[in-house]
Amino acid sequence: MAFTMRAVKVPRNSASLEEARHRVFDFFKQACRSIPTIMEIYNLDDVVTPSQLRSTIAKEIRKNQNVTNPKVIDMLLFNGMEELNNIVEHAKQRHHVIGQYVIGQEGLVHELGSKDQGNSDFLKKFYTSNYF
Amino acid sequence: MAHSLAASFSPAAARRQVTNVISSRSSVSFQSYRMTSVSISSRPSSLRFKICCSAKKETVDKVCSIVKQQLALPDGTALTGESKFAELGADSLDTVEIVMGLEEAFNITVDETSAQDIATVQDAADLIEKLMLEAPPKVV
């Protein structure tokens, strides 16, 4: 299957913070509009809902919300665009998408919920640190 | 009476006729008069009816429930048509996310310029109504 690269061209640098803001919102909208495609490609229908994916994308964007330099914002947007392209072109695989965007950032054990609930306190703290 | 009149026209016109009858509160006889005079091009003129109606109650309610879920508001907060998104604690990214959620829920596409103007729940509901009238919802 041919790789149809979307938005390969590097856009001009944003003139101001305001223009960078608009670019961020455009990127967010583009990502949200490709969520149905992504869910179909990777068969995510029984794992996650579109609104959960939307909030994950928003969380990723919010991580960098204190950046004020338009050029840095452009660079972050370029990275985000590249990631979105990779996912939509099916260059990634299902476990990549699930591990990075569905399960959550605090580590696999915490988000997945009860596997052996209440078995051992020692094991629960095992991943967090050596000293307890 | 409207249905018998509609049956005599082409199927596309009949479908539009039926949806117009269901969704608008105007009199049926006027609609059927419009269909006899001109064919497809009469559609913009029939649209003139609907602009005067404000957003329906269930649309506003659906928008409210999506907003409440998105911003994780506690159940007690008063959420009316006039509540501004900024007052409810939503920053600009939250507003865009809410608009995306509405796009998905109502199966519409909001363009850039219209999205800038949305400040309250009522704005969003009116915009949704307008878009649902201009482009009939895509049949899945």
Side-chain angles (χ1 to χ4, degrees):
Chain A
M1 220 163 173
F3 282 127
T4 47
M5 298 285 285
R6 181 181 5 166
V8 176
K9 58 187 186 318
V10 179
R12 284 194 299 274
N13 275 343
S14 309
S16 63
L17 200 54
E18 193 56 37
E19 189 183 341
R21 265 181 91 228
H22 277 139
R23 288 223 185 131
V24 171
F25 292 147
D26 285 340
F27 167 69
F28 181 64
K29 284 187 203 169
Q30 194 176 354
C32 286
R33 284 184 185 139
S34 34
I35 283 181
T37 314
I38 293 172
M39 292 193 62
E40 194 185 331
I41 292 178
Y42 296 100
N43 294 326
L44 297 174
D45 288 317
D46 33 355
V47 180
V48 75
T49 69
S51 64
Q52 278 172 326
L53 282 177
R54 267 200 296 275
S55 52
T56 309
I57 299 176
K59 202 167 25 167
E60 297 282 328
I61 293 181
R62 246 182 259 273
K63 273 189 196 168
N64 297 313
Q65 68 179 3
N66 52 349
V67 177
T68 51
N69 188 354
K71 289 193 177 161
V72 177
I73 297 179
D74 283 342
M75 181 211 69
L76 293 168
L77 277 178
F78 187 78
N79 289 345
M81 210 50 227
E82 183 184 12
E83 179 77 11
L84 180 64
N85 279 344
N86 282 342
I87 292 180
V88 169
E89 296 168 341
H90 211 339
K92 294 210 167 199
Q93 289 176 340
R94 192 166 183 255
H95 65 279
H96 295 123
V97 175
I98 290 184
Q100 287 167 356
Y101 298 107
V102 174
I103 284 191
Q105 312 302 325
E106 295 185 28
L108 308 174
V109 180
H110 173 80
E111 291 277 316
L112 273 184
S114 56
K115 212 173 180 189
D116 18 54
Q117 192 78 354
N119 250 356
S120 165
D121 234 6
F122 173 77
L123 284 180
K124 278 188 206 157
K125 295 182 196 157
F126 188 76
Y127 280 138
T128 54
S129 90
N130 279 336
Y131 308 105
F132 42 78
Chain B
M1 180 183 98
H3 295 282
S4 63
L5 274 168
S8 60
F9 301 127
S10 64
R15 201 170 47 238
R16 212 175 326 121
Q17 173 79 2
V18 171
T19 53
N20 282 343
V21 166
I22 291 175
S23 62
S24 75
R25 286 182 251 133
S26 56
S27 67
V28 167
S29 56
F30 191 98
Q31 290 287 359
S32 51
Y33 173 73
R34 276 276 166 219
M35 296 313 285
T36 51
S37 51
V38 188
S39 64
I40 314 290
S41 59
S42 70
R43 193 167 169 217
S45 56
S46 66
L47 202 56
R48 240 192 307 127
F49 268 107
K50 312 243 185 24
I51 300 295
C52 57
C53 319
S54 64
K56 290 200 277 281
K57 179 90 177 34
E58 56 259 19
T59 312
V60 178
D61 285 341
K62 207 165 166 190
V63 172
C64 283
S65 69
I66 289 179
V67 171
K68 208 176 260 197
Q69 188 190 2
Q70 180 61 46
L71 299 175
L73 299 170
D75 285 327
T77 45
L79 194 49
T80 67
E82 297 311 313
S83 342
K84 286 196 171 162
F85 289 128
E87 284 168 12
L88 298 167
D91 62 355
S92 48
L93 191 62
D94 276 325
T95 311
V96 178
E97 202 176 338
I98 289 172
V99 170
M100 287 288 118
L102 296 173
E103 266 195 22
E104 187 209 344
F106 291 99
N107 220 358
I108 51 176
T109 308
V110 179
D111 58 333
E112 184 66 38
T113 45
S114 324
Q116 306 280 36
D117 304 328
I118 297 182
T120 68
V121 175
Q122 189 65 35
D123 284 342
D126 290 338
L127 186 61
I128 291 169
E129 291 279 310
K130 192 158 71 93
L131 285 170
M132 282 178 75
L133 292 170
E134 285 167 11
K138 300 182 264 285
V139 177
V140 176

